[in-house]
Amino acid sequence: MKYEVAIGLEIHLELQTKSKLFCGCSTTFGREPNVNCCPICLGLPGTLPVFNRRAIELAVTAAIALNSAVSDQSRFDRKNYHYPDLPKAYQISQYEQPLARGGFLEIESEQSFKKIKLERVHLEEEAGKLIHSGSSILGSEYSLVDYNRAGIPLLEIVTAPDIRSGREARLFLEDLRLLLLYTGASDCKMEEGSLRCDANISLRPSGLSSLGTKTEVKNMNSFRAVETALNFEAKRQEAILKAGGSIAQETCHWDEAKKETIPLRGKEGSSDYRYFPEPDLLPLTLDRALIQNISEQLPELPLQRRTRLKQQYGLEAGEAGLFTENRALGDFFESAAEEYSNYRSLAKWVRGDLLYQIRESGKPVEEIQPKQLIELLTLLDQETINRPVAKELLSEMVKSGKGPKELVKEQGLERVSGREKLMPLVERVVAENPAVVEKYLQGKDKAISFLVGRVMALTGGRADPGEINKLLKEKISQ
Amino acid sequence: MELYQKTAANLSLMLQKKEVSSVEVVQSFLDRIELVEPHVKAFITHTPLIALETASAVDKKRLLGEDLHPLAGVPIAIKDNLCTAGLRTTCASRILENFIPPYDATVVEAIKRAGMPLLGKTNMDEFAMGSSTENSAFFSTANPWNLDKVPGGSSGGSAAAVSTGMAPLALGSDTGGSIRQPASFCGLIGLRPTYGRVSRYGLIAFASSLDQIGPLSLTAHDSALLMDVVAGYDPLDSTSLPEAVPDYAAGLEGEIKKLRVGVIKQNLADGFNPEVKAAVLKLVALLGANGAEIDEISLPLADYGLGAYYLIAPSEASSNLGRYDGVRYGYNAGGDNIEVMFSRTRGEGFGPEVKRRIIIGTYALSAGYYDAYYLQAMKVRTLIRRDYEAAFKKFDLLVGATTPTPAFNIGEKADDPLQMYLSDICNINDALAGVPSLSVPSGIDSCGLPLGMQMTAPPSREGLLLKIAGFLEQKRDPFPLRPRVKLSEGGEL
Ligand SMILES: [Zn+2]
């Protein structure tokens, strides 16, 4: 029997605000423990939460970018549970009336587009972080807790079970990450924990519409881990089903070292979070004008950009993809393209030599002036310099920040061309290498490239080999 | 007349005229505390040094001719669920016995800004859960009018302190009657402001959607002066009301417009103490004789209020009190692992009434019970609010008894939670509706215990309540406002 995989993702993203969701504490990552804290985010008795409007704007921005319908009125609820990283013993979250419902993200998978539907998008607060002396809270001599993270705004995105493979899950996450980077809502750093992903995965016989029993996979710490873990889990479930067994609804832990999903049998009872409306906050009312305003100010999103780059400049898919993923490089390209109309050549230089030089020098692309590259390409087009010199100049240009014309003058790199300049050199090489000339005359065509090389060397590599070739043949045939 | 016997308004005038210094005023109250406190036990924490320091600073400023708040130099006692920076705040609970907040409640900041010397933090029922102050984890407070009786609760310490002249003013908090009921039991003005009128920031939460801070005082004028200090919008409390606050003290002046007064049937019910009812009707008649239109009103859903309240308040409490787990602050009983530590800390740290309410609330919010209990109670609450909206279309003021009986004996209801809950029966609906409500002394019964009348106004009309209370103070037949504290060993203070 053939099985179809159904995966739904639950993604948590830290929103990129300066301060926390309900207090003024900084959200800076990597500071010493328990310094980004105040009585409010520590949940001291008597303290109360107050909305961070910026977090709400970012959440709305992300929701709109995800085509999700933002509610005029949403509500915050308390999710109650006891854990040392949760200062108030409840998390302020959204349960019955989330910020936004529905939506989709269109991903490009194997040359075709696919819409992954979303269930909901909501806002909640982050918990603190526990560091155990042992492997878990119950198996440790002691545990340390850091509340720097507690109260950072989190966006939760829940997808429908529309994802069909680990690879698709990864593509979804990569596209989601790019989308949210574009909107400025989150920096999506999985390694810093600002993007986290859990998955529900189940199998069903192909063609069936009802879902099979699912397992929840946790602890996937990179996009690659998501792909590997979900593929592994799909295979594990398939093996059980093919052997006539049944799947137990449970939570699995992805073990990155063993590359296995390990069921946490019986460790988690079903939790009752006793949700109820947060009485310390008024319902969140968003007026239409604000939503409209955010919607209008939304930047161009990755999928639109990719398509536009292809259409507007005739770029290849790979180039359009690169200029979308590397937004700054794409912006550089577009800025240069305003004054340089050979887009094909420009794109080649930007994705090739320029990108190479940027990586080599470690200099951010923002510090390079598009007009310098245009200047360089124009010098090349006018045959003032040749291609090898252009490449060298580009490297100098990136390193020093000096303009190509300036460098050409400084280093005397103008192209050596014209009969009057080149012919004396050609004559000299022919006179100095009679044996080679003889070989050429005997029909060894390749011998002439040696002579071209000699002349090139005399010009310091600044001449056009084609021109030399022509003059050499003319001289020898005399 | 000793300084401690004077009203806050009186002291304020004397201070402003420089007839007396704040240090002298504070000293008078400190002397009174030394004498009376051993018998009444109104305070959990005494702060004589803080009071004297503030007083002397205010005196200096006055000498320098600086602009001072009218209540500058007039001391105050505050309930021990209001956070005070650097000063322990216990909520009368073992679990917070040694908790020292690093910040001031917004009202505490306001008091400090006004230059009011803090005399101490007053006793209360643990986490404000109770109606007699017997649920304090530390000790009970006695009713100054009869030391065998309870002072009411949960703001019993604040009420007893003002009643005995240990403080001219006090702040309490009212979730379902915790200001008004002790005010009535001790013969004081006690005001529960409109929900949101006074910032809750720094008030240790019992039931967030119901908690309100308010004044207890001897006279309406004193409460008005204190409201002028503490009322107003606070950006730190999302539920605080943005609208501007009137000048309450100034609002006491002037004529009362023709009033339409509704006497709430349920708050003068058949089972109520006849002397309680008679005293209320006498004040109502006085209002009538002065031009008010009097009619009876029945709030159709009033009878469901108590049930709804005892689901909503414990539900919120079960969540609000989750944070006391010994991890960050407060009592920690230790244990081999986190689960043992949590349960031991909470098991040993909370008293029986608090545990009872946490259990009720946890149950009411649980999956499968939420709809039948919490949600149903919230629907009732909405309907009660509508009852009030309808009533205030016909009336400017609703009146009734503050409590069905005068103060009861210490221990009388301690083992019967339901009887205890019923003592707030007249106070709860106003709290559910979020409307302002005030208890004004209505007389002294044949046993020498004070009685109270409760008046309720539309949202944000606490000024009207204070004005009418002030009017009644002037027009009613006089009766003593302060007790002589009769000691069991003989003699009185
Ligand atoms: Zn904070």
Side-chain angles (χ1 to χ4, degrees):
Chain A
M1 191 187 289
K2 280 279 278 177
Y3 289 97
E4 182 180 58
V5 182
I7 296 169
L9 299 179
E10 197 181 295
I11 297 131
H12 288 94
L13 293 153
E14 285 183 0
L15 292 174
Q16 221 172 353
T17 52
K18 287 203 178 68
S19 57
K20 293 185 178 181
L21 183 53
F22 297 119
C23 66
C25 288
S26 161
T27 55
T28 310
F29 179 79
R31 297 190 60 194
E32 65 179 285
N34 298 311
V35 294
N36 290 350
C37 296
C38 73
I40 297 171
C41 56
L42 288 175
L44 291 194
T47 58
L48 298 169
V50 176
F51 283 129
N52 175 345
R53 297 303 303 186
R54 182 69 191 140
I56 290 163
E57 283 168 21
L58 286 180
V60 170
T61 306
I64 293 172
L66 287 163
N67 311 292
S68 191
V70 177
S71 307
D72 297 7
Q73 196 168 61
S74 64
R75 201 181 70 194
F76 285 80
D77 299 283
R78 290 187 184 177
K79 179 181 181 179
N80 296 285
Y81 63 95
H82 288 277
Y83 211 60
D85 64 5
L86 195 64
K88 301 186 292 294
Y90 56 81
Q91 178 194 35
I92 303 178
S93 179
Q94 295 193 292
Y95 183 58
E96 273 186 11
Q97 298 172 27
L99 184 82
R101 288 179 199 274
F104 62 89
L105 178 65
E106 201 166 11
I107 62 167
E108 204 176 343
S109 163
E110 324 297 348
Q111 310 296 326
S112 70
F113 288 100
K114 178 175 177 180
K115 276 182 183 173
I116 306 293
K117 289 192 294 299
L118 305 180
E119 307 268 357
R120 57 189 277 152
V121 176
H122 78 241
L123 195 54
E124 61 187 28
E125 61 178 336
E126 177 79 287
K129 199 174 174 172
L130 283 170
I131 298 141
H132 307 301
S133 68
S135 59
S136 69
I137 194 156
L138 290 177
S140 292
E141 193 192 336
Y142 63 86
S143 297
L144 302 172
V145 57
D146 176 7
Y147 294 107
N148 280 352
R149 215 176 66 173
I152 286 180
L154 272 187
L155 197 69
E156 182 175 319
I157 299 167
V158 182
T159 79
D162 282 358
I163 296 167
R164 295 284 165 264
S165 67
R167 164 133 187 93
E168 245 179 48
R170 180 180 176 164
L171 285 171
F172 176 86
L173 288 174
E174 282 171 354
D175 283 357
L176 179 72
R177 175 181 161 277
L178 200 58
L179 181 82
L180 291 164
L181 284 177
Y182 265 61
T183 58
S186 175
D187 62 8
C188 299
K189 289 182 182 161
M190 221 167 173
E191 66 278 15
E192 286 182 10
S194 70
L195 186 157
R196 301 192 293 276
C197 174
D198 298 332
N200 286 311
I201 172 166
S202 62
L203 264 56
R204 61 182 164 200
S206 293
L208 218 65
S209 62
S210 63
L211 291 169
T213 306
K214 66 182 179 188
T215 57
E216 192 181 2
V217 185
K218 293 188 171 219
N219 195 45
M220 301 173 290
N221 294 318
S222 67
F223 289 168
R224 203 162 44 90
V226 170
E227 178 172 358
T228 331
L230 294 178
N231 286 340
F232 178 91
E233 178 61 13
K235 282 215 184 85
R236 189 186 73 87
Q237 289 191 13
E238 189 178 357
I240 293 171
L241 293 173
K242 283 206 166 140
S246 59
I247 307 298
Q249 182 159 349
E250 61 197 350
T251 300
C252 301
H253 197 81
W254 171 246
D255 188 322
E256 183 68 43
K258 291 186 188 156
K259 302 273 183 255
E260 284 176 24
T261 50
I262 297 163
L264 301 168
R265 283 200 183 87
K267 278 195 181 170
E268 280 188 21
S270 70
S271 313
D272 180 353
Y273 293 119
R274 307 189 315 280
Y275 284 101
F276 75 105
E278 166 57 284
D280 287 333
L281 291 168
L282 302 176
L284 178 62
T285 309
L286 296 168
D287 62 17
R288 277 286 131 199
L290 175 86
I291 298 173
Q292 185 66 29
N293 192 29
I294 290 176
S295 176
E296 279 162 11
Q297 283 176 10
L298 210 61
E300 183 185 36
L301 299 177
L303 195 63
Q304 295 160 260
R305 178 161 162 125
R306 224 174 283 161
T307 313
R308 182 179 59 77
L309 288 176
K310 278 191 256 179
Q311 286 170 356
Q312 187 174 342
Y313 304 105
L315 298 185
E316 292 163 9
E319 288 167 338
L322 174 68
F323 292 162
T324 304
E325 266 156 54
N326 191 335
R327 198 181 185 183
L329 195 70
D331 287 348
F332 180 94
F333 168 80
E334 290 213 76
S335 169
E338 277 174 28
E339 288 172 51
Y340 190 81
S341 56
N342 188 348
Y343 304 141
R344 296 283 329 120
S345 162
L346 177 66
K348 257 187 180 161
W349 275 91
V350 172
R351 76 168 148 84
D353 286 86
L354 181 71
L355 187 58
Y356 175 79
Q357 292 301 340
I358 286 166
R359 286 187 180 144
E360 280 290 289
S361 64
K363 205 168 194 181
V365 65
E366 288 86 348
E367 286 178 24
I368 296 157
Q369 298 177 25
K371 68 169 197 275
Q372 290 188 339
L373 182 66
I374 297 171
E375 211 175 286
L376 184 82
L377 297 186
T378 309
L379 288 174
L380 186 66
D381 293 344
Q382 292 165 350
E383 304 194 339
T384 311
I385 55 172
N386 66 9
R387 185 166 284 274
V389 168
K391 285 179 187 248
E392 212 169 286
L393 273 180
L394 183 68
S395 159
E396 288 282 316
M397 190 185 98
V398 170
K399 271 183 224 143
S400 69
K402 287 182 183 163
K405 276 186 184 155
E406 194 185 346
L407 287 168
V408 164
K409 246 187 219 145
E410 240 178 57
Q411 305 179 12
L413 291 175
E414 288 99 335
R415 181 174 159 128
V416 181
S417 66
R419 175 178 293 272
E420 59 275 32
K421 276 190 193 151
L422 286 176
M423 198 44 118
L425 303 177
V426 165
E427 284 166 356
R428 186 171 141 199
V429 167
V430 167
E432 284 172 1
N433 298 285
V436 183
V437 173
E438 192 55 34
K439 270 187 190 158
Y440 173 72
L441 289 173
Q442 284 167 7
K444 295 208 168 172
D445 280 0
K446 274 189 183 164
I448 198 147
S449 43
F450 174 81
L451 299 171
V452 171
R454 299 308 303 159
V455 180
M456 279 296 277
L458 289 174
T459 64
R462 289 176 292 142
D464 175 23
E467 193 179 359
I468 297 171
N469 195 310
K470 218 177 86 197
L471 291 172
L472 269 172
K473 284 181 182 165
E474 187 189 317
K475 176 71 195 160
I476 294 169
S477 65
Q478 277 171 7
Chain B
M1 201 191 228
E2 301 288 333
L3 287 172
Y4 74 82
Q5 291 170 312
K6 296 185 183 295
T7 64
N10 256 321
L11 293 170
S12 161
L13 272 180
M14 292 173 73
L15 284 161
Q16 287 179 63
K17 289 185 190 156
K18 296 181 188 159
E19 292 169 5
V20 66
S21 74
S22 179
V23 169
E24 287 170 307
V25 171
V26 166
Q27 197 54 59
S28 173
F29 284 99
L30 293 178
D31 293 346
R32 179 68 179 164
I33 289 170
E34 204 176 316
L35 196 67
V36 177
E37 175 64 359
H39 308 284
V40 174
K41 290 160 70 181
F43 290 89
I44 291 175
T45 304
H46 293 275
T47 55
L49 291 179
I50 295 175
L52 286 168
E53 258 174 49
T54 310
S56 114
V58 167
D59 287 342
K60 260 184 216 145
K61 285 184 185 170
R62 205 182 297 281
L63 279 177
L64 291 168
E66 281 183 33
D67 234 9
L68 290 171
H69 190 278
L71 285 183
V74 178
I76 186 168
I78 65 174
K79 192 174 179 178
D80 205 21
N81 57 355
L82 296 168
C83 283
T84 40
L87 178 66
R88 85 178 175 136
T89 302
T90 68
C91 246
S93 181
R94 289 268 169 241
I95 215 153
L96 288 176
E97 189 168 2
N98 298 306
F99 174 62
I100 298 176
Y103 73 101
D104 276 327
T106 297
V107 293
V108 172
E109 251 181 44
I111 285 167
K112 285 186 175 172
R113 221 179 305 122
M116 300 179 74
L118 180 66
L119 292 164
K121 311 272 312 262
T122 58
N123 199 18
M124 54 185 281
D125 289 295
E126 184 178 6
F127 282 98
M129 297 176 188
S131 310
S132 67
T133 315
E134 292 166 289
N135 293 337
S136 167
F138 308 126
F139 45 80
S140 297
T141 298
N143 188 316
W145 295 78
N146 179 338
L147 297 180
D148 295 329
K149 305 275 178 187
V150 302
S154 64
S155 310
S158 287
V162 175
S163 167
T164 49
M166 291 195 281
L169 287 170
L171 282 177
S173 70
D174 187 312
T175 305
S178 281
I179 289 174
R180 295 161 287 160
Q181 186 254 25
S184 172
F185 279 11
C186 294
L188 300 172
I189 297 281
L191 170 64
R192 173 195 168 87
T194 312
Y195 182 77
R197 188 42 110 187
V198 178
S199 167
R200 290 185 295 118
Y201 190 80
L203 164 66
I204 298 183
F206 157 19
S208 314
S209 73
L210 294 154
D211 297 343
Q212 260 299 286
I213 298 166
L216 292 110
S217 65
L218 213 59
T219 65
H221 191 189
D222 284 2
S223 274
L225 286 169
L226 186 50
M227 277 297 282
D228 283 332
V229 175
V230 297
Y233 173 70
D234 180 8
L236 293 178
D237 176 358
S238 307
T239 62
S240 97
L241 295 171
E243 52 198 271
V245 178
D247 182 332
Y248 294 106
L252 296 175
E253 312 286 328
E255 286 294 296
I256 293 171
K257 278 188 222 140
K258 198 170 153 56
L259 274 183
R260 298 166 300 165
V261 177
V263 180
I264 302 174
K265 244 176 155 174
Q266 287 93 340
N267 287 359
L268 285 175
D270 286 344
F272 282 28
N273 177 304
E275 288 189 82
V276 167
K277 296 207 285 190
V280 169
L281 291 173
K282 209 172 156 190
L283 289 190
V284 171
L286 182 60
L287 288 173
N290 281 277
E293 227 174 76
I294 315 288
D295 206 347
E296 213 174 50
I297 176 171
S298 173
L299 294 171
L301 278 141
D303 296 342
Y304 299 97
L306 192 80
Y309 175 86
Y310 277 100
L311 288 169
I312 295 166
S315 291
E316 293 183 14
S318 72
S319 172
N320 283 327
L321 272 61
R323 70 191 69 195
Y324 306 110
D325 56 15
V327 173
R328 291 157 300 275
Y329 51 82
Y331 180 68
N332 182 333
D336 287 342
N337 65 48
I338 191 76
E339 282 161 13
V340 173
M341 186 186 105
F342 277 177
S343 34
R344 271 178 55 182
T345 297
R346 292 168 66 77
E348 294 169 21
F350 290 133
E353 182 60 28
V354 172
K355 284 183 199 164
R356 178 168 18 248
R357 297 203 198 185
I358 290 175
I359 291 167
I360 292 172
T362 303
Y363 187 83
L365 289 176
S366 297
Y369 298 98
Y370 180 87
D371 289 357
Y373 293 113
Y374 180 81
L375 204 61
Q376 193 69 8
M378 289 303 273
K379 286 178 187 163
V380 170
R381 184 176 189 177
T382 304
L383 294 175
I384 286 175
R385 202 170 279 157
R386 286 194 197 141
D387 272 3
Y388 275 85
E389 281 163 15
F392 285 125
K393 286 196 178 118
K394 282 195 239 158
F395 299 103
D396 305 306
L397 192 71
L398 302 177
V399 300
T402 309
T403 59
T405 66
F408 45 87
N409 288 326
I410 290 174
E412 187 182 328
K413 299 184 180 182
D415 298 326
D416 189 345
L418 268 181
Q419 278 308 308
M420 189 70 91
Y421 296 169
L422 280 167
S423 78
D424 293 335
I425 186 102
C426 305
N427 316 127
I428 273 168
N429 289 317
D430 296 347
L432 287 170
V435 293
S437 182
L438 175 145
S439 183
V440 57
S442 57
I444 306 287
D445 78 353
S446 49
C447 307
L449 288 171
L451 305 170
M453 177 173 86
Q454 180 175 266
M455 307 190 289
T456 307
S460 298
R461 298 299 310 279
E462 39 278 283
L464 177 70
L465 296 177
L466 289 165
K467 187 169 191 165
I468 297 167
F471 171 82
L472 292 172
E473 282 167 359
Q474 289 163 23
K475 300 280 175 166
R476 70 194 170 197
D477 295 336
F479 52 83
L481 287 179
R482 286 203 202 267
R484 308 201 69 86
V485 182
K486 292 195 177 69
L487 305 180
S488 54
E489 59 267 34
E492 49 182 43
L493 300 169

